[in-house]
Amino acid sequence: MTDLTSLTLAEAREGLANKSFTSLELTDAHLGAIEAARALNAFVMETPDQARAMARAVDAKIARGEGGPLAGIPLGIKDLFATKDVRTTACSKILGNFVPPYESTITSQLWRDGAVMLGKLNNDEFAMGSSNETSCFGPVVNPWRREGSNTTLVPGGSSGGSASAVAALLCMGATATDTGGSIRQPAAFTGTVGIKPTYGRCSRWGIVAFASSLDQAGPIARTVRDSAILMRSMAGHDPKDTTSVDRAVPDYEAAIGKSVKGMKIGIPKEYRLDGMPAEIERLWSEGAAWLKAAGAELIDVSLPHTKYALPAYYIVAPAEASSNLARYDGVRYGLRVPGRSIGELYENTRAEGFGPEVRRRVMIGTYVLSAGYYDAYYLRAQKVRTLIKRDFEDCFAKGVHAILTPATPSAAFGIGEKGADPVEMYLNDIFTVTVNMAGLPGIAVPAGKDTQGLPLGLQLIGRPFDEETLFSLGEVIEQAAGRFTPARWW
Ligand code: GLN
């Protein structure tokens, strides 16, 4: 039998359906791979007993012909998703050993459809970061290395554990979240596929909140088809999240292989940055050429407010984070550091529980929301956000179906290499934050390698709720670029 971990999710689904192997066998193969890959630090909690129990239960269902669309498929769950009776920390010391008494809507939909939970995945603390170095459990290691080098590289962030685990064949797919790029950037850094759906497509209920008007969950998987399969189970209306949209969930997988002939693809000139590496430039033109060869029409478009997106994001996101994180005060959840008064208890707990990046965001957020500065910063950033959204609307009004851009300005970098200057880290999201600011769907698909053999991704941005077009176009790129699998060294 071939190594079960190297199957795609779609292949495993077929193998399970025609009884070539059981979910328990598939699950055990992944549990073994996880154990052998602890050097990557992708999982912060392994749940082998629960995984085997879920696999056995689903095997019995499959035998009765009752399996759901994900029956028997082992997945990893970002530690930002509340999982009932399983520790959920957002990789922050402040949540300590918090064990939620409830399940997030998205994960409950995955279990409803028959998926198996392998464990909880590492991420940047409260999903703040682009390298997975801010996690209280330590950095995640990218399974990719530069050719001829054993320097350890970051997998990107904040969904670094999800991306690393999927790339290293530790799980068949993973949940992730994206507030400014946290699904797409780590996907690009690890040669995996990541889609951030339209804001409102997936329920945020039971996901630890970072910036509520930007946060959106989605899958990271090894192929475009696998992400389409996962999206269908993750998406849907949820009365418990007032921002989730009541709209039928399409069969995303049906979009795979659909012709893209005649589709108009916008190439935004503002994404051609000064000093952009030649290899990113090359990747972008190559991607455009592949879409053209498949019958799409390329048109130059302009998104004039792009340059304000990152600065505006770093007002809006910290503002909302400072408000969301006010609840971690040592009274209700996790860590409590006593003090002589209630005020001191709050101060001691927050000083001890939050890491430096989170503290920086709370301070910036509190400042931009404070009386006297609110209009100058927060309100102004919200106005800029409207302009960014309008840029996209103008573009779509001209008949553009999707926009093609690079996913990141570089390939994965070394652990500890960036971070002395926070802005240097923030620049990772230069191509992805606009999409969150406008609430649009965006997919990152591996498209090539840099000169050192590291994967690079392209991003496709779609019209609201038109994830299907992104899957169709994404698959064209995937077909042309091929699959990206790291050589095993761990
Ligand atoms: N890297 C960005 C930040 O640090 C985005 C993170 C995310 O999407 N969760 O805020």
Side-chain angles (χ1 to χ4, degrees):
M1 194 162 20
T2 53
D3 179 8
L4 294 180
T5 61
S6 64
L7 300 174
T8 64
L9 194 159
E11 289 163 351
R13 179 179 63 179
E14 206 182 302
L16 287 163
N18 59 35
K19 313 231 166 27
S20 303
F21 45 83
T22 64
S23 174
L24 188 58
E25 286 166 335
L26 187 64
T27 300
D28 272 330
H30 285 90
L31 291 171
I34 293 170
E35 236 183 275
R38 293 213 176 112
L40 301 179
N41 201 25
F43 279 84
V44 296
M45 168 75 97
E46 296 169 18
T47 54
D49 296 341
Q50 179 160 352
R52 291 196 183 99
M54 287 173 99
R56 279 195 196 96
V58 81
D59 276 334
K61 277 195 171 171
I62 295 172
R64 295 196 298 269
E66 288 171 9
L70 292 175
I73 301 293
L75 301 177
I77 303 299
K78 186 177 183 179
D79 206 30
L80 222 60
F81 290 76
T83 40
K84 189 174 186 298
D85 300 332
V86 175
R87 190 190 69 185
T88 300
T89 67
C91 298
S92 178
K93 252 169 79 181
I94 209 155
L95 272 154
N97 283 318
F98 174 62
V99 176
Y102 49 83
E103 187 78 31
S104 83
T105 297
I106 287 194
T107 47
S108 65
Q109 288 172 183
L110 294 171
W111 316 144
R112 171 201 69 197
D113 289 353
V116 167
M117 175 163 92
L118 294 167
K120 303 298 290 288
L121 293 159
N122 209 336
N123 53 253
D124 276 298
E125 183 178 5
F126 284 108
M128 297 175 191
S130 302
S131 63
N132 215 120
E133 292 171 290
T134 72
S135 163
C136 74
F137 295 105
V140 174
V141 176
N142 192 328
W144 287 87
R145 285 174 162 183
R146 296 178 182 126
E147 264 155 27
S149 151
N150 52 21
T151 304
T152 46
L153 305 178
V154 304
S158 65
S159 312
S162 306
S164 180
V166 170
L169 314 182
L170 310 185
C171 54
M172 312 215 86
T175 65
T177 61
D178 190 313
T179 304
S182 281
I183 291 177
R184 294 159 287 157
Q185 185 255 13
F189 275 16
T190 55
T192 56
V193 178
I195 178 162
K196 180 204 91 78
T198 312
Y199 185 80
R201 182 66 286 188
C202 292
S203 169
R204 291 182 296 106
W205 194 84
I207 301 174
V208 176
F210 165 9
S212 306
S213 77
L214 301 161
D215 297 345
Q216 187 62 201
I220 291 184
R222 287 199 288 273
T223 67
V224 175
R225 179 181 296 274
D226 289 358
S227 8
I229 295 171
L230 288 169
M231 258 303 292
R232 192 178 186 185
S233 293
M234 291 172 75
H237 177 239
D238 177 9
K240 291 196 290 238
D241 171 4
T242 52
T243 63
S244 91
V245 173
D246 193 359
R247 226 179 134 112
V249 178
D251 176 6
Y252 293 115
E253 201 181 350
I256 310 281
K258 243 194 185 157
S259 168
V260 301
K261 218 169 158 193
M263 276 192 192
K264 289 191 171 61
I265 308 299
I267 309 289
K269 64 167 189 275
E270 290 78 7
Y271 282 61
R272 192 153 280 122
L273 303 177
D274 285 344
M276 187 154 93
E279 52 200 17
I280 301 284
E281 190 79 58
R282 208 175 319 118
L283 179 88
W284 194 9
S285 342
E286 205 165 36
W290 290 330
L291 296 178
K292 193 168 174 203
E297 185 191 333
L298 305 176
I299 52 173
D300 290 323
V301 296
S302 172
L303 300 164
H305 297 92
T306 299
K307 61 175 176 290
Y308 304 115
L310 203 61
Y313 170 84
Y314 275 99
I315 304 238
V316 175
E320 294 184 17
S322 71
S323 162
N324 273 326
L325 270 53
R327 75 191 70 171
Y328 304 106
D329 55 12
V331 177
R332 276 186 79 174
Y333 311 96
L335 182 78
R336 175 177 300 170
V337 182
R340 280 165 307 179
S341 63
I342 183 81
E344 227 181 72
L345 177 139
Y346 292 162
E347 284 169 16
N348 293 348
T349 303
R350 290 168 68 81
E352 166 99 24
F354 289 141
E357 183 59 29
V358 175
R359 287 206 292 268
R360 176 169 22 243
R361 309 257 182 140
V362 169
M363 285 190 276
I364 294 172
T366 308
Y367 177 77
V368 300
L369 288 177
S370 59
Y373 293 105
Y374 181 92
D375 289 3
Y377 292 107
Y378 187 70
L379 208 63
R380 165 99 35 125
Q382 291 290 29
K383 287 179 181 164
V384 170
R385 186 173 182 178
T386 304
L387 296 174
I388 292 166
K389 188 160 177 272
R390 203 171 294 159
D391 282 353
F392 283 106
E393 282 163 4
D394 290 348
C395 198
F396 294 132
K398 289 190 189 112
V400 167
H401 294 88
I403 294 164
L404 181 74
T405 78
T408 57
S410 75
F413 46 88
I415 292 182
E417 219 169 77
K418 290 189 187 181
D421 174 8
V423 175
E424 200 191 0
M425 190 65 80
Y426 298 169
L427 283 168
N428 268 288
D429 299 316
I430 189 104
F431 299 134
T432 49
V433 282
T434 49
V435 177
N436 302 76
M437 294 294 265
L440 301 171
I443 192 170
V445 182
K449 285 185 182 170
D450 76 348
T451 49
Q452 296 178 297
L454 296 178
L456 293 169
L458 284 171
Q459 172 179 234
L460 284 153
I461 305 168
R463 295 176 175 176
F465 296 99
D466 190 14
E467 285 80 6
E468 287 158 286
T469 294
L470 299 186
F471 287 124
S472 302
L473 292 164
E475 205 242 0
V476 171
I477 291 177
E478 183 178 62
Q479 287 296 322
R483 289 264 310 278
F484 293 75
T485 312
R488 195 175 154 178
W489 53 264
W490 56 92

